[in-house]
Amino acid sequence: MDNQSNPSDIFGRAARIGPVAGAYFTVLFLCAAYSGMHPLLSILTLVLFLSVPWLLYRRLSATAAAVAKVRTVTLWTEGIYSFLFGGLIMALLVYVWLRFVDPGYMRNQLELAAQLMRDYPQSASPDLRHTVEAVLEQGSLPGAIQMAMSLFWTVTFTGAVLSLPVAFIIAKIKSSR
């Protein structure tokens, strides 16, 4: 029996999709992060973001097609682990990017935000403006590891939430056939 049709090999299937998902999430992060400098990246970011549920559906549908009896919990677990493994790879790549390739990214973004809040005072509350300026003055910016871990947990949590309805739909479709 190959690993694709083995219903107990949830981790193996999720680990195999992890590198692809990690690269995908990294490209999504980079497009979002630099869409301010290159406006067309915001369109690509939107397309990539909206494609995630469809790609998850395709991946879990392939698993459902390969196994004789599929359960919602099995598909959900595979979806969670796919996001978890992809998120780990993305976190590592984002850390490397923010630490070595563009270490001034966070400072630049906060300085831009502070400048926008000074130019357009109605765009943010005075408390937010004060907080951003205090963070810049004190140098208490989040580091590369904090950003990478925040993104990791965001991807993992989002994957867990998104995988449940997708797994449920796929299991319902398969059981009705």
Side-chain angles (χ1 to χ4, degrees):
M1 182 183 280
D2 75 28
N3 287 337
Q4 182 67 17
S5 60
N6 182 356
S8 65
D9 191 29
I10 295 168
F11 300 111
R13 289 190 305 267
R16 281 189 295 280
I17 198 65
V20 175
Y24 186 89
F25 297 144
T26 303
V27 169
L28 180 57
F29 163 76
L30 291 173
C31 287
Y34 293 99
S35 62
M37 294 188 297
H38 306 285
L40 287 178
L41 287 178
S42 61
I43 295 170
L44 182 57
T45 300
L46 183 62
V47 169
L48 290 171
F49 183 73
L50 293 175
S51 297
V52 170
W54 178 77
L55 293 170
L56 176 65
Y57 179 84
R58 290 213 26 186
R59 176 68 195 148
L60 295 181
S61 291
T63 295
V67 297
K69 183 176 182 196
V70 68
R71 293 179 40 213
T72 300
V73 173
T74 305
L75 292 174
W76 184 30
T77 304
E78 183 175 335
I80 291 169
Y81 281 115
S82 296
F83 277 86
L84 179 100
F85 295 144
L88 281 171
I89 292 168
M90 180 228 32
L92 174 66
L93 295 173
V94 165
Y95 172 76
V96 168
W97 184 269
L98 292 175
R99 178 83 167 95
F100 301 108
V101 178
D102 193 359
Y105 175 78
M106 287 304 299
R107 176 165 285 289
N108 294 339
Q109 291 302 307
L110 278 177
E111 286 173 351
L112 177 63
Q115 183 62 43
L116 285 172
M117 287 185 248
R118 281 191 295 274
D119 293 347
Y120 302 99
Q122 72 279 9
S123 66
S125 71
D127 291 337
L128 179 60
R129 204 169 327 131
H130 174 71
T131 302
V132 169
E133 289 172 0
V135 166
L136 284 168
E137 287 172 13
Q138 296 169 2
S140 58
L141 298 161
I145 194 68
Q146 287 91 355
M147 288 298 297
M149 290 310 299
S150 293
L151 289 170
F152 165 73
W153 286 115
T154 301
V155 165
T156 303
F157 178 75
T158 303
V161 171
L162 181 62
S163 294
L164 181 59
V166 171
F168 181 77
I169 290 167
I170 293 168
K172 280 293 184 193
I173 290 171
K174 175 119 184 190
S175 68
S176 68
R177 288 184 186 168

